[in-house]
Amino acid sequence: MARSLFSLDIAQPQVMAVLNVTPDSFSDGGRYLRGGKVDPAVCRQRAEQMLAEGASIIDIGGESTRPGAQPVSPDEEMQRVLPVIEAIADLDVVISVDTSSPQLMREAVALGAGL
């Protein structure tokens, strides 16, 4: 049964997996970049693995918030995040976007993000 984009069964614990698509993330550190750009196919493979490991939410981040990280423009953040959403939108998962950009929030929802 497909999950609704905007609801989760909170009667059971839910697992949120984090997919950081930044070159300087403390956890992923550019793992999903090829030639300096996000590789949606690699991100999809990782998302599928996260689902197989029990994730019901995938949180996508396109701007590092580690201490000393340089801010990125909303356009750069969208170039990192939106292709990933497009690549995984058909998976049975709630997509969350870690951002403070209203523009990215709107675009992400239009592509299928629910949080």
Side-chain angles (χ1 to χ4, degrees):
M1 178 173 88
R3 219 178 262 109
S4 168
L5 289 176
F6 300 104
S7 66
L8 290 170
D9 177 6
I10 59 172
Q12 299 294 320
Q14 301 295 317
V15 175
M16 176 184 278
V18 176
L19 184 62
N20 286 321
V21 289
T22 61
D24 60 345
S25 168
F26 65 89
S27 64
D28 297 22
R31 184 180 307 169
Y32 309 111
L33 306 179
R34 299 295 180 268
K37 292 189 167 198
V38 172
D39 185 332
V42 172
C43 292
R44 182 177 174 101
Q45 288 175 341
R46 179 64 180 126
E48 290 171 342
Q49 181 182 8
M50 291 170 164
L51 287 171
E53 293 170 348
S56 54
I57 306 166
I58 295 181
D59 184 61
I60 304 167
E63 180 176 24
S64 179
T65 56
R66 68 169 172 70
Q70 296 298 310
V72 298
S73 71
D75 285 339
E76 176 69 22
E77 189 179 11
M78 287 194 298
Q79 289 174 10
R80 293 175 180 174
V81 172
L82 297 178
V84 179
I85 296 171
E86 289 178 314
I88 69 169
D90 66 326
L91 297 177
D92 186 20
V93 67
V94 174
I95 300 170
S96 168
V97 178
D98 181 4
T99 186
S100 61
S101 165
Q103 183 180 5
L104 176 54
M105 289 177 204
R106 285 189 294 274
E107 295 289 332
V109 168
L111 291 175
L115 296 173

